[in-house]
Amino acid sequence: MLLKFAIRDFLDDREFKNVTPKTLQSYHDILKQFEDFCLENEVVNVQDITASLMKQYILYYQKKGNNATTTNSKLQRVRAFLNYMVECEVIKDNPSKKIPKAREDIRIDVFTDYHIKQMLNYYRRIKQREKSFYAYRDYSIIVVLLGTGLRQSELCSLKWSDIDFQYQTLSVFGKNRKRESIPVTEKVIMELSAYKIFCEQVFARRGLSEYVFTNTYNKPMTPNAVQNVFKRLAKIMNFKDVRLSSHTFRHTFCQRCIQSGMSTFAVQRLMRHSSIVVTERYAAMWGNDLKEQNDRFNPLNTIDI
């Protein structure tokens, strides 16, 4: 079977299975790159893809600068495509199944109190001086991300109707198209309440958008727009020791919850991890000292002996 037709068939299958647009685009980009590499090596049929060719593909792009995370992402996407070819009986075995994942350096960026204060103070100064829409919006974005641990996609899809101001909860449309309700603190609710009033004033003629975070045209922000907000802020802040991104805010939320003594189960629910194994990995990295935990929670603490 010709590779280009096989890839097209696979992408149609992923779309039929209702994967997210972001995932579908990832499959498209990586498989297009893989197809081009195969053609350059005179491989046009799926049946001619070998383990050796797969290794050449991985090594070629590692030499061009792909890190371990990018390498593993590409391997995962191509492996899924070849598994599909096995299911369709185009090939008998997946030539990529014995290729090990690249070892990733485990380093997760988080913000310190200094980083957070610097960012918020910057926007406070602009709000007081210029009262610009961008300053109010971006300040609110930071508060919401720090106070909820929302993913970037969840932030962009957040609607005013998802917020229960009375009972202080958010309805989040998260990964795998799953909607979940999470509690939020009073500080986040107060910030969102003030921001809503501000937006009602700014967009009085057009009417308030159903989406919480919008651009100046009252259209919902895209993930790319949020990334650009943090790229601009990163140049201004010039932090040398941390990456300024929406995911760093999520990691910071998770770290603070764990280090404050919150249970792993509670952290999993707030972070909406699909598996508690993921949460436990973070807990092992950031968890409180074992002796400190034992001293605090040992059953003998409440028994007179």
Side-chain angles (χ1 to χ4, degrees), residues 108-112 115 119 145-146 230 242-255 286:
I108 299 179
D109 286 338
V110 292
F111 294 121
T112 64
H115 296 134
M119 290 184 283
L145 289 177
L146 277 174
F230 292 131
V242 68
R243 179 170 173 259
L244 211 164
S245 71
S246 57
H247 217 64
T248 306
F249 286 102
R250 181 167 164 81
H251 285 149
T252 302
F253 173 80
C254 182
Q255 182 210 37
W286 293 319

Side-chain angles (χ1 to χ4, degrees), residues 5-112:
F5 294 140
I7 291 175
R8 190 179 305 168
D9 185 38
F10 172 74
L11 293 174
D12 287 343
D13 178 75
R14 297 299 105 162
E15 189 169 5
F16 176 76
K17 289 179 177 175
N18 204 28
V19 300
T20 64
K22 183 179 178 181
T23 301
L24 190 64
Q25 187 62 48
S26 174
Y27 275 123
H28 178 275
D29 294 344
I30 290 173
L31 290 175
K32 181 65 173 68
Q33 184 190 76
F34 180 65
E35 180 189 357
D36 291 342
F37 179 83
C38 289
L39 291 176
E40 288 174 8
N41 286 271
E42 300 181 349
V43 173
V44 295
N45 293 312
V46 178
Q47 293 89 337
D48 295 328
I49 297 173
T50 63
S52 176
L53 182 73
M54 283 295 305
K55 289 177 182 177
Q56 290 175 41
Y57 167 69
I58 295 297
L59 287 170
Y60 177 78
Y61 282 101
Q62 282 181 336
K63 290 177 181 178
K64 289 179 74 71
N66 282 178
N67 59 24
T69 302
T70 304
T71 295
N72 289 335
S73 178
K74 290 182 177 181
L75 183 59
Q76 180 186 23
R77 298 304 189 207
V78 176
R79 185 174 285 161
F81 162 66
L82 293 172
N83 279 335
Y84 177 72
M85 290 292 99
V86 173
E87 290 173 17
C88 295
E89 299 182 350
V90 175
I91 56 178
K92 288 185 178 181
D93 295 304
N94 186 335
S96 70
K97 65 182 180 181
K98 291 185 178 180
I99 298 177
K101 291 174 64 176
R103 183 175 295 179
E104 299 182 39
D105 294 328
I106 301 175
R107 180 183 179 273
I108 299 179
D109 286 338
V110 292
F111 294 121
T112 64

Side-chain angles (χ1 to χ4, degrees), residues 77-278:
R77 298 304 189 207
V78 176
R79 185 174 285 161
F81 162 66
L82 293 172
N83 279 335
Y84 177 72
M85 290 292 99
V86 173
E87 290 173 17
C88 295
E89 299 182 350
V90 175
I91 56 178
K92 288 185 178 181
D93 295 304
N94 186 335
S96 70
K97 65 182 180 181
K98 291 185 178 180
I99 298 177
K101 291 174 64 176
R103 183 175 295 179
E104 299 182 39
D105 294 328
I106 301 175
R107 180 183 179 273
I108 299 179
D109 286 338
V110 292
F111 294 121
T112 64
D113 287 350
Y114 168 80
H115 296 134
I116 295 167
K117 288 175 182 176
Q118 286 291 104
M119 290 184 283
L120 292 178
N121 286 340
Y122 166 72
Y123 282 123
R124 283 195 194 101
R125 289 195 300 272
I126 296 179
K127 283 166 67 176
Q128 292 170 358
R129 187 171 67 245
E130 301 171 11
K131 294 187 179 298
S132 71
F133 168 73
Y134 293 114
Y136 273 84
R137 184 199 64 188
D138 297 352
Y139 181 93
S140 298
I141 285 175
I142 289 177
V143 172
V144 170
L145 289 177
L146 277 174
T148 64
L150 290 183
R151 299 179 178 92
Q152 183 174 268
S153 59
E154 295 167 346
L155 182 84
C156 294
S157 62
L158 186 66
K159 298 180 180 180
W160 290 114
S161 58
D162 295 328
I163 305 169
D164 190 321
F165 288 95
Q166 180 180 356
Y167 293 102
Q168 300 186 356
T169 62
L170 287 186
S171 181
V172 181
F173 191 60
K175 251 185 174 181
N176 302 320
R177 302 179 185 275
K178 187 177 180 182
R179 187 169 288 281
E180 299 177 79
S181 180
I182 59 170
V184 290
T185 64
E186 187 175 354
K187 283 186 177 180
V188 173
I189 289 295
M190 289 177 64
E191 177 61 35
L192 285 171
S193 297
Y195 175 65
K196 186 177 183 182
I197 294 171
F198 173 75
C199 289
E200 287 171 340
Q201 294 171 349
V202 171
F203 300 112
R205 300 177 70 177
R206 298 176 184 171
L208 185 69
S209 170
E210 64 176 324
Y211 288 91
V212 176
F213 297 108
T214 67
N215 57 25
T216 51
Y217 300 102
N218 212 16
K219 301 294 182 183
M221 292 184 76
T222 63
N224 188 56
V226 176
Q227 289 172 13
N228 287 335
V229 166
F230 292 131
K231 283 180 182 177
R232 289 192 294 269
L233 184 59
K235 290 181 179 178
I236 296 166
M237 295 291 103
N238 196 29
F239 296 142
K240 301 295 185 183
D241 54 344
V242 68
R243 179 170 173 259
L244 211 164
S245 71
S246 57
H247 217 64
T248 306
F249 286 102
R250 181 167 164 81
H251 285 149
T252 302
F253 173 80
C254 182
Q255 182 210 37
R256 298 299 176 100
C257 288
I258 290 170
Q259 291 188 337
S260 67
M262 186 182 290
S263 72
T264 305
F265 176 73
V267 175
Q268 182 200 10
R269 292 293 301 275
L270 287 174
M271 294 290 289
R272 286 152 286 107
H273 289 147
S274 57
S275 169
I276 200 167
V277 173
V278 178

Side-chain angles (χ1 to χ4, degrees), residues 268-296:
Q268 182 200 10
R269 292 293 301 275
L270 287 174
M271 294 290 289
R272 286 152 286 107
H273 289 147
S274 57
S275 169
I276 200 167
V277 173
V278 178
T279 317
E280 287 172 342
R281 195 177 303 144
Y282 288 125
M285 188 181 306
W286 293 319
N288 290 329
D289 181 76
L290 189 60
K291 183 181 185 305
E292 177 189 334
Q293 291 285 291
N294 185 48
D295 290 343
R296 183 180 175 186

